[in-house]
Amino acid sequence: FYPCDFCGQVDDGGSQLGPLETFLQWCDRVGLVLSNKVYVSKEGTVSEYGMLAKDNIEEGEVLFTIPRSALLHQGTTKVSALLEKEKSSLESPSGWVPLLLALLYEYTSSQSHWKPYLSLWTDFKTLDHPMFWSKEERGRLLRGTGIPEAVDRDLANIRKEYTDVVLPFITQHPDLWNPSTHTLELYTQLVAFVMAYSFQEPQEEEEEEDDDEEEDEDEKAPNPPMMVPMADMLNHVSNHNANLEFTPDSLKMVCVRPIHKDEEVFNTYGQMANWQLLHMYGFTEPYPSNSNDTADIPHTNLYKVATQGIQSDLDRQLVEEQWKMLCQMMQEKGAFVFGKQGCLTDMELHTALKVLCMSKEEFSEFKENEGWEEDDEEDEISLAFSSEGLPELKASWKKLIHEAARLTLRSYGNGEEEGVTDSDRALIENKVALAGLSTRQQNALQVQYGQKRILYRLMELTKS
């Protein structure tokens, strides 16, 4: 799963230690304590590296402890004082520039404190995020999944951030960085490295004194990402058995359910659909193990089906007005998200269907009242848009959902929306045929198949 494909040799003064052994010696030196019940291995793990149990491990046991001084981030790097002093000029929408500058410096410095850690990646060729695929390959393999569009936005943002913020800064500090070494290409690779391997410390929950403070708290920026040696060697599954805990002095990987001898230790990156895992981490969970898989129906697809077959100009004008109002209430370029148990954006979908199915009189009243008194409880709405509730919706609502799902299925380019998953299922269930595909083809198939199954099931649940 998680692409821990570390490779290459460490230049360690002529000794024959490989990169992993050199890294483990460094862990000892920096006070990273590894339980004697686990070990890092390339054998018997789902990706190139992983962690395995030497012995049975009970829930609550600590697998390893990392002192905060061993973490790599903008506050621990050798250039931390400069990054702190200049932080106002390093602001960007991502919030990642200080960490990325630290990584640019430490990754290319022969004297870096983190060299044994960073030398596990002699290059970043093993990162296989879709951002490193050709545009043609992304479009061909990932059509309809939303990933090609997300990657195009990422690459444009990375280029803009490098050109507008990073390049001017490194040019001003030629003693520490060099534009011919610290290129846009290396910067992009490090962005992918941070996407796949960094951790973000959760915000501390503080007791609020009053409402004003509560508003300030809501606006508090998330903690910047940081690199956590050893923790990033664990692979991910949604049904994980270990979890990273943050304490004032250290970070601890703690067993959250019993692990048997020889089993792999798995962390989780949260509830991630396969399209998110591939986009951000470069891998997928094979069907059907990802219980968090989702499929999106773009808002615009609901609009398209709502305007289909309208005969009169008056009716069209009404739907146009209704949609204009909905656009002010919903995110632009947003989507309704469906999981295996129903709609995950149920309040938004409920609002959209309610407005689009109003008569002219109802809509006029709705506008005059600037909305409606919400008579439906959130729990009732969640139930109505769950797999159990969807077949019981009003016929007009079901028709809109059904046709929007059909239209979305067409975007994958198969042109066979009703039996859309049959050929995919045959391929996924045929281990020999699946093994004949490239890793990229396999990952693309897992994403598309998972999404199409959710949409196909949605059509079944909303059949009139």
Side-chain angles (χ1 to χ4, degrees):
F1 297 165
Y2 190 9
C4 292
D5 302 340
F6 310 133
C7 58
Q9 292 298 308
V10 174
D11 176 17
D12 46 16
S15 79
Q16 292 307 300
L17 284 181
L20 181 58
E21 290 77 10
T22 308
F23 168 65
L24 292 171
Q25 282 192 356
W26 176 83
C27 289
D28 278 346
R29 289 202 304 277
V30 299
L32 192 156
V33 180
L34 193 61
S35 159
N36 57 12
K37 288 191 177 183
V38 293
Y39 64 104
V40 179
S41 175
K42 283 186 166 187
E43 304 297 321
T45 58
V46 294
S47 186
E48 185 162 347
Y49 274 97
M51 183 169 282
L52 293 165
K54 280 186 202 177
D55 207 337
N56 291 337
I57 302 169
E58 294 303 313
E59 183 179 336
E61 285 193 56
V62 176
L63 307 177
F64 54 87
T65 304
I66 310 146
R68 284 196 178 256
S69 55
L71 307 177
L72 173 48
H73 55 78
Q74 61 213 57
T76 56
T77 173
K78 195 173 178 186
V79 292
S80 62
L82 176 66
L83 296 178
E84 177 59 30
K85 183 171 153 240
E86 302 285 346
K87 69 179 178 188
S88 62
S89 67
L90 301 177
E91 286 172 4
S92 72
S94 77
W96 289 11
V97 170
L99 174 62
L100 287 159
L101 282 166
L103 284 170
L104 283 171
Y105 175 78
E106 300 289 351
Y107 184 69
T108 53
S109 162
S110 59
Q111 303 305 309
S112 173
H113 173 62
W114 287 273
K115 186 165 190 254
Y117 163 61
L118 294 170
S119 292
L120 293 167
W121 293 266
T122 52
D123 61 32
F124 292 101
K125 297 284 188 290
T126 52
L127 294 174
D128 200 27
H129 295 58
M131 68 162 68
F132 300 121
W133 307 7
S134 70
K135 191 172 173 71
E136 181 277 327
E137 194 171 18
R138 282 197 300 272
R140 178 165 44 84
L141 292 179
L142 297 168
R143 181 175 171 183
T145 62
I147 297 175
E149 298 78 4
V151 170
D152 287 345
R153 286 193 297 273
D154 289 346
L155 291 173
N157 291 339
I158 291 165
R159 179 178 290 277
K160 182 172 170 48
E161 186 171 86
Y162 181 81
T163 309
D164 295 356
V165 184
V166 175
L167 194 55
F169 183 78
I170 65 177
T171 308
Q172 284 169 6
H173 301 281
D175 51 324
L176 299 170
W177 292 277
N178 178 346
S180 61
T181 305
H182 302 111
T183 57
L184 174 61
E185 185 187 10
L186 179 58
Y187 190 75
T188 305
Q189 290 171 333
L190 286 168
V191 169
F193 179 54
V194 171
M195 279 169 93
Y197 292 99
S198 68
F199 290 79
Q200 235 166 342
E201 186 161 1
Q203 285 285 12
E204 279 182 45
E205 289 183 16
E206 292 167 16
E207 291 296 314
E208 299 307 339
E209 300 276 320
D210 56 38
D211 288 348
D212 291 346
E213 279 194 33
E214 202 162 321
E215 280 174 30
D216 291 346
E217 185 70 11
D218 287 345
E219 289 165 20
K220 210 171 164 187
N223 285 314
M226 57 188 176
M227 309 314 297
V228 185
M230 190 62 78
D232 53 19
M233 286 205 163
L234 269 61
N235 296 307
H236 157 99
V237 290
S238 46
N239 187 21
H240 59 113
N241 52 24
N243 199 38
L244 191 65
E245 294 184 0
F246 295 79
T247 73
D249 304 317
S250 61
L251 277 57
K252 298 175 193 290
M253 190 64 72
V254 179
C255 173
V256 293
R257 58 186 176 81
I259 304 171
H260 299 297
K261 185 184 175 185
D262 299 327
E263 276 186 354
E264 185 165 357
V265 179
F266 288 107
N267 185 22
T268 180
Y269 314 143
Q271 296 179 330
M272 306 285 267
N274 265 344
W275 79 264
Q276 293 168 306
L277 288 174
L278 185 57
H279 173 217
M280 292 185 65
Y281 301 94
F283 74 100
T284 55
E285 279 196 67
Y287 183 83
S289 63
N290 191 347
S291 55
N292 300 311
D293 223 356
T294 62
D296 289 1
I297 293 183
H299 289 161
T300 49
N301 282 3
L302 190 67
Y303 170 70
K304 284 175 189 168
V305 300
T307 52
Q308 263 169 15
I310 291 182
Q311 300 300 322
S312 79
D313 289 347
L314 279 175
D315 286 349
R316 179 169 292 279
Q317 194 182 338
L318 174 62
V319 174
E320 300 278 1
E321 271 189 70
Q322 288 168 337
W323 188 253
K324 194 175 171 184
M325 176 170 270
L326 283 171
C327 286
Q328 292 165 356
M329 298 163 76
M330 301 188 303
Q331 274 176 279
E332 196 189 356
K333 292 183 181 166
F336 303 107
V337 183
F338 290 84
K340 292 184 175 181
Q341 310 305 321
C343 184
L344 304 178
T345 49
D346 43 36
M347 298 301 288
E348 227 177 2
L349 181 58
H350 175 258
T351 300
L353 292 169
K354 198 163 178 176
V355 171
L356 287 171
C357 293
M358 283 177 178
S359 66
K360 193 171 190 305
E361 294 70 32
E362 287 168 334
F363 186 59
S364 296
E365 193 184 329
F366 175 70
K367 281 193 298 186
E368 278 168 30
N369 296 341
E370 295 183 356
W372 56 67
E373 287 294 317
E374 194 50 80
D375 46 2
D376 300 303
E377 292 292 327
E378 279 190 32
D379 290 350
E380 283 175 27
I381 292 172
S382 292
L383 188 60
F385 289 95
S386 68
S387 299
E388 293 73 33
L390 282 163
E392 308 305 319
L393 288 176
K394 293 177 194 169
S396 56
W397 290 21
K398 281 203 294 189
K399 185 170 190 287
L400 284 175
I401 297 171
H402 185 86
E403 292 305 321
R406 185 201 296 276
L407 184 60
T408 307
L409 274 168
R410 277 192 207 140
S411 69
Y412 294 91
N414 309 61
E416 41 157 342
E417 66 261 351
E418 291 298 338
V420 76
T421 54
D422 291 348
S423 56
D424 294 338
R425 186 191 298 125
L427 189 51
I428 272 190
E429 289 173 358
N430 183 337
K431 292 215 162 61
V432 177
L434 198 59
L437 299 178
S438 70
T439 306
R440 290 179 180 184
Q441 288 171 324
Q442 287 182 31
N443 280 328
L445 177 66
Q446 296 290 353
V447 172
Q448 286 199 335
Y449 183 61
Q451 291 183 343
K452 289 193 279 195
R453 270 193 74 94
I454 289 168
L455 292 168
Y456 187 48
R457 169 126 172 85
L458 182 59
M459 285 181 69
E460 291 280 295
L461 292 170
T462 52
K463 270 204 296 218
S464 48

PDB file of all heavy atoms in Angstrom, residues 375-393:
ATOM      1  N   ASP A 375     -37.612  22.585   9.211  1.00  0.00           N
ATOM      2  CA  ASP A 375     -38.517  21.721   9.962  1.00  0.00           C
ATOM      3  C   ASP A 375     -37.990  20.293  10.071  1.00  0.00           C
ATOM      4  O   ASP A 375     -38.475  19.501  10.849  1.00  0.00           O
ATOM      5  CB  ASP A 375     -39.920  21.723   9.327  1.00  0.00           C
ATOM      6  CG  ASP A 375     -39.844  21.546   7.808  1.00  0.00           C
ATOM      7  OD1 ASP A 375     -38.719  21.380   7.290  1.00  0.00           O
ATOM      8  OD2 ASP A 375     -40.904  21.582   7.154  1.00  0.00           O
ATOM      9  N   ASP A 376     -36.996  19.971   9.267  1.00  0.00           N
ATOM     10  CA  ASP A 376     -36.446  18.613   9.333  1.00  0.00           C
ATOM     11  C   ASP A 376     -35.222  18.590  10.237  1.00  0.00           C
ATOM     12  O   ASP A 376     -34.337  19.424  10.102  1.00  0.00           O
ATOM     13  CB  ASP A 376     -36.038  18.146   7.925  1.00  0.00           C
ATOM     14  CG  ASP A 376     -37.217  18.123   6.973  1.00  0.00           C
ATOM     15  OD1 ASP A 376     -38.192  17.443   7.297  1.00  0.00           O
ATOM     16  OD2 ASP A 376     -37.156  18.800   5.923  1.00  0.00           O
ATOM     17  N   GLU A 377     -35.168  17.642  11.124  1.00  0.00           N
ATOM     18  CA  GLU A 377     -34.001  17.495  11.989  1.00  0.00           C
ATOM     19  C   GLU A 377     -32.837  16.925  11.188  1.00  0.00           C
ATOM     20  O   GLU A 377     -33.042  16.161  10.240  1.00  0.00           O
ATOM     21  CB  GLU A 377     -34.338  16.520  13.132  1.00  0.00           C
ATOM     22  CG  GLU A 377     -35.362  17.037  14.112  1.00  0.00           C
ATOM     23  CD  GLU A 377     -34.846  18.206  14.939  1.00  0.00           C
ATOM     24  OE1 GLU A 377     -33.644  18.230  15.232  1.00  0.00           O
ATOM     25  OE2 GLU A 377     -35.654  19.086  15.267  1.00  0.00           O
ATOM     26  N   GLU A 378     -31.605  17.291  11.593  1.00  0.00           N
ATOM     27  CA  GLU A 378     -30.421  16.782  10.893  1.00  0.00           C
ATOM     28  C   GLU A 378     -30.392  15.262  10.859  1.00  0.00           C
ATOM     29  O   GLU A 378     -30.045  14.657   9.853  1.00  0.00           O
ATOM     30  CB  GLU A 378     -29.141  17.320  11.552  1.00  0.00           C
ATOM     31  CG  GLU A 378     -28.818  18.721  11.110  1.00  0.00           C
ATOM     32  CD  GLU A 378     -27.431  19.186  11.552  1.00  0.00           C
ATOM     33  OE1 GLU A 378     -26.524  18.348  11.652  1.00  0.00           O
ATOM     34  OE2 GLU A 378     -27.281  20.396  11.789  1.00  0.00           O
ATOM     35  N   ASP A 379     -30.759  14.638  11.987  1.00  0.00           N
ATOM     36  CA  ASP A 379     -30.737  13.173  12.046  1.00  0.00           C
ATOM     37  C   ASP A 379     -31.716  12.569  11.046  1.00  0.00           C
ATOM     38  O   ASP A 379     -31.424  11.568  10.398  1.00  0.00           O
ATOM     39  CB  ASP A 379     -31.108  12.679  13.461  1.00  0.00           C
ATOM     40  CG  ASP A 379     -30.000  12.995  14.458  1.00  0.00           C
ATOM     41  OD1 ASP A 379     -28.916  13.402  14.009  1.00  0.00           O
ATOM     42  OD2 ASP A 379     -30.230  12.836  15.672  1.00  0.00           O
ATOM     43  N   GLU A 380     -32.881  13.221  10.915  1.00  0.00           N
ATOM     44  CA  GLU A 380     -33.891  12.729   9.965  1.00  0.00           C
ATOM     45  C   GLU A 380     -33.373  12.827   8.540  1.00  0.00           C
ATOM     46  O   GLU A 380     -33.567  11.928   7.727  1.00  0.00           O
ATOM     47  CB  GLU A 380     -35.185  13.553  10.087  1.00  0.00           C
ATOM     48  CG  GLU A 380     -36.030  13.211  11.282  1.00  0.00           C
ATOM     49  CD  GLU A 380     -37.237  14.153  11.403  1.00  0.00           C
ATOM     50  OE1 GLU A 380     -37.682  14.683  10.359  1.00  0.00           O
ATOM     51  OE2 GLU A 380     -37.711  14.349  12.537  1.00  0.00           O
ATOM     52  N   ILE A 381     -32.696  13.943   8.239  1.00  0.00           N
ATOM     53  CA  ILE A 381     -32.155  14.139   6.885  1.00  0.00           C
ATOM     54  C   ILE A 381     -31.072  13.107   6.600  1.00  0.00           C
ATOM     55  O   ILE A 381     -31.036  12.507   5.526  1.00  0.00           O
ATOM     56  CB  ILE A 381     -31.630  15.587   6.725  1.00  0.00           C
ATOM     57  CG1 ILE A 381     -32.805  16.567   6.759  1.00  0.00           C
ATOM     58  CG2 ILE A 381     -30.830  15.746   5.432  1.00  0.00           C
ATOM     59  CD1 ILE A 381     -32.421  18.026   6.803  1.00  0.00           C
ATOM     60  N   SER A 382     -30.170  12.882   7.588  1.00  0.00           N
ATOM     61  CA  SER A 382     -29.117  11.877   7.410  1.00  0.00           C
ATOM     62  C   SER A 382     -29.719  10.511   7.108  1.00  0.00           C
ATOM     63  O   SER A 382     -29.224   9.789   6.237  1.00  0.00           O
ATOM     64  CB  SER A 382     -28.253  11.770   8.670  1.00  0.00           C
ATOM     65  OG  SER A 382     -27.508  12.946   8.832  1.00  0.00           O
ATOM     66  N   LEU A 383     -30.790  10.181   7.819  1.00  0.00           N
ATOM     67  CA  LEU A 383     -31.443   8.882   7.608  1.00  0.00           C
ATOM     68  C   LEU A 383     -32.086   8.824   6.222  1.00  0.00           C
ATOM     69  O   LEU A 383     -31.985   7.812   5.516  1.00  0.00           O
ATOM     70  CB  LEU A 383     -32.499   8.652   8.704  1.00  0.00           C
ATOM     71  CG  LEU A 383     -33.138   7.263   8.743  1.00  0.00           C
ATOM     72  CD1 LEU A 383     -32.079   6.190   8.981  1.00  0.00           C
ATOM     73  CD2 LEU A 383     -34.215   7.198   9.817  1.00  0.00           C
ATOM     74  N   ALA A 384     -32.713   9.938   5.816  1.00  0.00           N
ATOM     75  CA  ALA A 384     -33.397   9.974   4.522  1.00  0.00           C
ATOM     76  C   ALA A 384     -32.424   9.760   3.362  1.00  0.00           C
ATOM     77  O   ALA A 384     -32.791   9.196   2.332  1.00  0.00           O
ATOM     78  CB  ALA A 384     -34.117  11.309   4.361  1.00  0.00           C
ATOM     79  N   PHE A 385     -31.178  10.198   3.520  1.00  0.00           N
ATOM     80  CA  PHE A 385     -30.191  10.091   2.436  1.00  0.00           C
ATOM     81  C   PHE A 385     -29.191   8.952   2.666  1.00  0.00           C
ATOM     82  O   PHE A 385     -28.154   8.885   2.035  1.00  0.00           O
ATOM     83  CB  PHE A 385     -29.475  11.428   2.227  1.00  0.00           C
ATOM     84  CG  PHE A 385     -30.380  12.464   1.619  1.00  0.00           C
ATOM     85  CD1 PHE A 385     -31.061  13.371   2.415  1.00  0.00           C
ATOM     86  CD2 PHE A 385     -30.588  12.493   0.249  1.00  0.00           C
ATOM     87  CE1 PHE A 385     -31.925  14.300   1.861  1.00  0.00           C
ATOM     88  CE2 PHE A 385     -31.451  13.417  -0.322  1.00  0.00           C
ATOM     89  CZ  PHE A 385     -32.130  14.331   0.481  1.00  0.00           C
ATOM     90  N   SER A 386     -29.524   8.053   3.607  1.00  0.00           N
ATOM     91  CA  SER A 386     -28.703   6.851   3.808  1.00  0.00           C
ATOM     92  C   SER A 386     -29.166   5.794   2.805  1.00  0.00           C
ATOM     93  O   SER A 386     -30.208   5.945   2.163  1.00  0.00           O
ATOM     94  CB  SER A 386     -28.886   6.324   5.230  1.00  0.00           C
ATOM     95  OG  SER A 386     -30.220   5.828   5.381  1.00  0.00           O
ATOM     96  N   SER A 387     -28.415   4.710   2.688  1.00  0.00           N
ATOM     97  CA  SER A 387     -28.793   3.625   1.757  1.00  0.00           C
ATOM     98  C   SER A 387     -30.196   3.100   2.069  1.00  0.00           C
ATOM     99  O   SER A 387     -30.934   2.708   1.165  1.00  0.00           O
ATOM    100  CB  SER A 387     -27.786   2.480   1.852  1.00  0.00           C
ATOM    101  OG  SER A 387     -26.507   2.956   1.492  1.00  0.00           O
ATOM    102  N   GLU A 388     -30.565   3.110   3.368  1.00  0.00           N
ATOM    103  CA  GLU A 388     -31.896   2.620   3.756  1.00  0.00           C
ATOM    104  C   GLU A 388     -32.984   3.617   3.352  1.00  0.00           C
ATOM    105  O   GLU A 388     -34.082   3.231   2.964  1.00  0.00           O
ATOM    106  CB  GLU A 388     -31.984   2.397   5.277  1.00  0.00           C
ATOM    107  CG  GLU A 388     -31.122   1.275   5.816  1.00  0.00           C
ATOM    108  CD  GLU A 388     -29.633   1.600   5.835  1.00  0.00           C
ATOM    109  OE1 GLU A 388     -29.277   2.779   6.048  1.00  0.00           O
ATOM    110  OE2 GLU A 388     -28.839   0.680   5.592  1.00  0.00           O
ATOM    111  N   GLY A 389     -32.678   4.911   3.482  1.00  0.00           N
ATOM    112  CA  GLY A 389     -33.697   5.943   3.256  1.00  0.00           C
ATOM    113  C   GLY A 389     -33.891   6.357   1.813  1.00  0.00           C
ATOM    114  O   GLY A 389     -34.991   6.785   1.422  1.00  0.00           O
ATOM    115  N   LEU A 390     -32.855   6.250   0.991  1.00  0.00           N
ATOM    116  CA  LEU A 390     -32.927   6.742  -0.396  1.00  0.00           C
ATOM    117  C   LEU A 390     -34.107   6.177  -1.197  1.00  0.00           C
ATOM    118  O   LEU A 390     -34.792   6.939  -1.887  1.00  0.00           O
ATOM    119  CB  LEU A 390     -31.596   6.457  -1.128  1.00  0.00           C
ATOM    120  CG  LEU A 390     -30.447   7.413  -0.789  1.00  0.00           C
ATOM    121  CD1 LEU A 390     -29.107   6.827  -1.219  1.00  0.00           C
ATOM    122  CD2 LEU A 390     -30.645   8.777  -1.471  1.00  0.00           C
ATOM    123  N   PRO A 391     -34.400   4.849  -1.101  1.00  0.00           N
ATOM    124  CA  PRO A 391     -35.532   4.330  -1.899  1.00  0.00           C
ATOM    125  C   PRO A 391     -36.886   4.925  -1.497  1.00  0.00           C
ATOM    126  O   PRO A 391     -37.842   4.856  -2.266  1.00  0.00           O
ATOM    127  CB  PRO A 391     -35.512   2.812  -1.611  1.00  0.00           C
ATOM    128  CG  PRO A 391     -34.131   2.527  -1.119  1.00  0.00           C
ATOM    129  CD  PRO A 391     -33.697   3.759  -0.383  1.00  0.00           C
ATOM    130  N   GLU A 392     -36.960   5.515  -0.288  1.00  0.00           N
ATOM    131  CA  GLU A 392     -38.241   6.062   0.214  1.00  0.00           C
ATOM    132  C   GLU A 392     -38.401   7.552  -0.092  1.00  0.00           C
ATOM    133  O   GLU A 392     -39.403   8.152   0.287  1.00  0.00           O
ATOM    134  CB  GLU A 392     -38.340   5.854   1.739  1.00  0.00           C
ATOM    135  CG  GLU A 392     -38.088   4.429   2.227  1.00  0.00           C
ATOM    136  CD  GLU A 392     -38.999   3.416   1.553  1.00  0.00           C
ATOM    137  OE1 GLU A 392     -40.197   3.726   1.370  1.00  0.00           O
ATOM    138  OE2 GLU A 392     -38.504   2.327   1.190  1.00  0.00           O
ATOM    139  N   LEU A 393     -37.430   8.172  -0.739  1.00  0.00           N
ATOM    140  CA  LEU A 393     -37.540   9.612  -1.051  1.00  0.00           C
ATOM    141  C   LEU A 393     -38.680   9.866  -2.037  1.00  0.00           C
ATOM    142  O   LEU A 393     -39.131   8.961  -2.733  1.00  0.00           O
ATOM    143  CB  LEU A 393     -36.233  10.123  -1.663  1.00  0.00           C
ATOM    144  CG  LEU A 393     -35.016  10.280  -0.753  1.00  0.00           C
ATOM    145  CD1 LEU A 393     -33.805  10.698  -1.571  1.00  0.00           C
ATOM    146  CD2 LEU A 393     -35.257  11.296   0.359  1.00  0.00           C
TER     147      LEU A 393
END
